[in-house]
Amino acid sequence: FFFRIGILLFCSCNNTNTTSINMVASRSLAAAVTVGATLLCSNISPAAAFTSFQIPNPFAAVKTSSTSGAVALEDKLLAAIEANGKDKRLDNSDEIVSLVTQLEACSSIPRPAIAPQIYGKWRLLQTTNADTASPIQRKAVDTTKFDIFQDIVFNDEKQLLVKQIVKFSETNELCVDALASTSAYPLAELTDREGTGEILGLNILGVSLVGEEAAEDPERPDSRIRFVFDEGKFDFGGFSLPYPVPFRNPLFRDAVKGWIDVTYLSDRIRISRGNKGTTFVLKKED
């Protein structure tokens, strides 16, 4: 038995030099004897014996990547969104919701909020129609004739920005910038939001989760990007107009805070859930 283990370890090496081969064989047989002695003198399993001595374990099952299953789900999600029609970007399709949930259960890029893949330009493909979302936001998102992007970049002061861009045409757009904060790029101003945003019980600017309902998922570390809207402008071929919302007014500052939790991230697909209960599916731009 121990000799067979030594042969397995010996055959796993690709050395062609005879001296090297003899040395490897000797070490492999010695390792096998060591493991064998451990097995004889204790009740631990063969796999545990190999692990304890940091020796390649022939008993271990070959680990297969789960990315192939996730890629297949991504393909199905993209196909479902396309089949759903461009006029239904704001939709609660059961098939799309199911595929989103399945992808969120898959392994994806860890610590997504600070992963290199998070940065860059993302195109909005689909979002859910949550009753707690801002009516203005729902109307803008549902205007499917316009492309909507989210650009995660840095400004001249090296601050993290999340830019929301609505493209009316090649030369005309609306761009709203939000200062952002993660563990890699913390922003002291971005404390937890205190108010839900309701005005006299009415949903005017959207209703946010707060308090315990807004707590981060401990099983998804570094998944949250906090932000506060800071400024916006319309750009019509080089002629600019300010966006008519006083984001920097202290009376509104808490109401324009928010966050997105990145629940799935790959090189081409990002799924995020926002503080107002909406789910976003985005595709990375080339």
Side-chain angles (χ1 to χ4, degrees):
F1 168 74
F2 302 135
F3 177 78
R4 267 185 257 149
I5 295 175
I7 293 300
L8 282 170
L9 293 168
F10 168 75
C11 292
S12 66
C13 302
N14 294 321
N15 295 311
T16 56
N17 181 275
T18 303
T19 303
S20 298
I21 290 174
N22 289 334
M23 291 177 63
V24 172
S26 299
R27 291 172 183 172
S28 298
L29 288 171
V33 171
T34 304
V35 173
T38 303
L39 290 170
L40 288 173
C41 299
S42 66
N43 294 323
I44 66 174
S45 68
F50 275 91
T51 302
S52 65
F53 286 95
Q54 297 183 337
I55 298 168
N57 182 8
F59 298 103
V62 177
K63 291 185 178 181
T64 57
S65 174
S66 61
T67 55
S68 59
V71 169
L73 285 173
E74 287 182 12
D75 290 339
K76 289 181 179 179
L77 177 59
L78 294 174
I81 291 173
E82 183 175 358
N84 202 42
K86 291 184 178 180
D87 60 334
K88 294 183 179 179
R89 181 165 56 195
L90 186 73
D91 189 50
N92 293 329
S93 159
D94 290 339
E95 181 185 10
I96 292 174
V97 169
S98 174
L99 289 167
V100 164
T101 303
Q102 290 178 65
L103 273 173
E104 288 178 320
C106 291
S107 296
S108 67
I109 294 171
R111 301 185 181 275
I114 60 174
Q117 293 86 346
I118 196 72
Y119 306 110
K121 196 170 189 176
W122 297 83
R123 179 190 295 268
L124 178 67
L125 299 180
Q126 188 83 10
T127 183
T128 54
N129 187 3
D131 293 336
T132 49
S134 161
I136 299 173
Q137 174 188 331
R138 289 204 301 268
K139 184 63 178 176
V141 169
D142 201 29
T143 308
T144 52
K145 66 177 69 174
F146 304 136
D147 290 327
I148 298 178
F149 300 92
Q150 192 174 82
D151 206 359
I152 303 178
V153 295
F154 297 91
N155 63 15
D156 294 337
E157 287 74 39
K158 305 299 182 184
Q159 293 175 310
L160 187 62
L161 289 181
V162 178
K163 303 169 74 73
Q164 320 290 333
I165 303 166
V166 181
K167 294 287 290 185
F168 307 123
S169 68
E170 285 298 318
T171 57
N172 302 328
E173 67 179 29
L174 165 65
C175 181
V176 180
D177 291 349
L179 295 172
S181 179
T182 64
S183 64
Y185 297 94
L187 188 65
E189 177 189 355
L190 275 171
T191 55
D192 289 338
R193 179 169 171 158
E194 297 178 1
T196 64
E198 288 180 297
I199 300 175
L200 300 176
L202 300 176
N203 176 8
I204 305 299
L205 298 175
V207 181
S208 177
L209 298 172
V210 293
E212 292 184 2
E213 290 184 326
E216 295 182 61
D217 185 348
E219 295 184 2
R220 296 181 183 271
D222 283 321
S223 293
R224 178 164 293 185
I225 301 176
R226 290 180 170 84
F227 61 84
V228 57
F229 287 111
D230 194 57
E231 62 179 347
K233 66 177 182 178
F234 292 94
D235 190 337
F236 299 106
F239 175 71
S240 297
L241 288 174
Y243 189 65
V245 176
F247 291 130
R248 296 178 181 176
N249 188 310
L251 294 175
F252 293 96
R253 203 59 173 167
D254 184 67
V256 296
K257 288 180 180 179
W259 44 260
I260 51 174
D261 283 336
V262 183
T263 54
Y264 179 84
L265 178 66
S266 71
D267 289 329
R268 66 170 176 166
I269 295 293
R270 171 161 63 93
I271 299 172
S272 299
R273 293 183 180 265
N275 60 295
K276 295 176 182 178
T278 47
T279 303
F280 306 93
V281 179
L282 305 101
K283 187 174 185 292
K284 192 72 172 282
E285 288 287 280
D286 295 330

